Amino acid sequence: MVYVTRRETFSASHRLYNPAWTDAQNEAVFDKCNSIHGHGHNYVIEVTVAGEPDPQTGYVLDLKLLKQIIKREFVDKVDHKHLNLDVEWFRSTIPTAENIARIAWDVLRPKIPSGTLYQIRLHETENNVVEYRGA
Ligand code: NI
């Protein structure tokens, strides 16, 4: 098994806020991330696909193709958006790095043309990274 990874970047803003809680609870849990007008991040997403290299091409999958799929199915829908306000995926889901990674998994997994999606790694800051490998 070989694991191939494509890295892409996007910029987005978000606000961490649970509508079921009081303002005080939200402030206590989310602190600065609860700031009412939101704040931005320069995200890095790394999409890893696992598979056997094709004997004809030597590729698990063509990374040019993976780049296009990530852009079309995910990055174009979140880049330069306010995740809470502009992106349907986050209407009822708090846009934490954890949930962004899970949504990226859900939308990309059925689109991978060869090999199998193995992992989504999402860097929200230089120091904060989440990984998701499915259920
Ligand atoms: Ni944030």
Side-chain angles (χ1 to χ4, degrees):
M1 195 69 84
V2 181
Y3 298 82
V4 298
T5 299
R6 175 72 196 182
R7 176 183 179 278
E8 295 291 337
T9 60
F10 62 96
S11 300
S13 50
H14 70 168
R15 180 192 185 199
L16 302 186
Y17 171 78
N18 184 333
W21 291 350
T22 64
D23 288 350
Q25 283 174 304
N26 273 289
E27 262 182 55
V29 171
F30 295 123
D31 192 31
K32 283 190 295 189
C33 298
N34 180 49
S35 167
I36 190 154
H37 296 300
H39 61 275
H41 293 285
N42 294 316
Y43 291 93
V44 176
I45 185 169
E46 293 172 21
V47 178
T48 301
V49 174
E52 295 289 343
D54 181 290
Q56 306 284 333
T57 62
Y59 287 162
V60 171
L61 86 170
D62 184 338
L63 284 174
K64 284 196 304 293
L65 195 55
L66 182 57
K67 171 190 174 167
Q68 290 164 5
I69 292 165
I70 297 167
K71 182 171 168 14
R72 185 179 65 230
E73 303 295 333
F74 183 75
V75 168
D76 284 352
K77 295 176 178 171
V78 292
D79 192 29
H80 288 72
K81 300 287 173 63
H82 191 302
L83 299 177
N84 307 66
L85 303 177
D86 301 331
V87 183
E88 190 64 39
W89 295 329
F90 300 105
R91 281 288 150 80
S92 55
T93 300
I94 302 172
T96 56
E98 290 88 333
N99 284 332
I100 298 169
R102 287 208 302 200
I103 284 168
W105 173 279
D106 288 346
V107 300
L108 293 174
R109 188 172 141 88
K111 306 291 183 182
I112 302 299
S114 60
T116 310
L117 183 58
Y118 172 73
Q119 175 175 273
I120 301 290
R121 177 183 292 129
L122 186 79
H123 304 248
E124 191 169 68
T125 68
E126 275 187 32
N127 299 321
N128 296 347
V129 182
V130 304
E131 293 174 344
Y132 183 60
R133 296 183 188 150

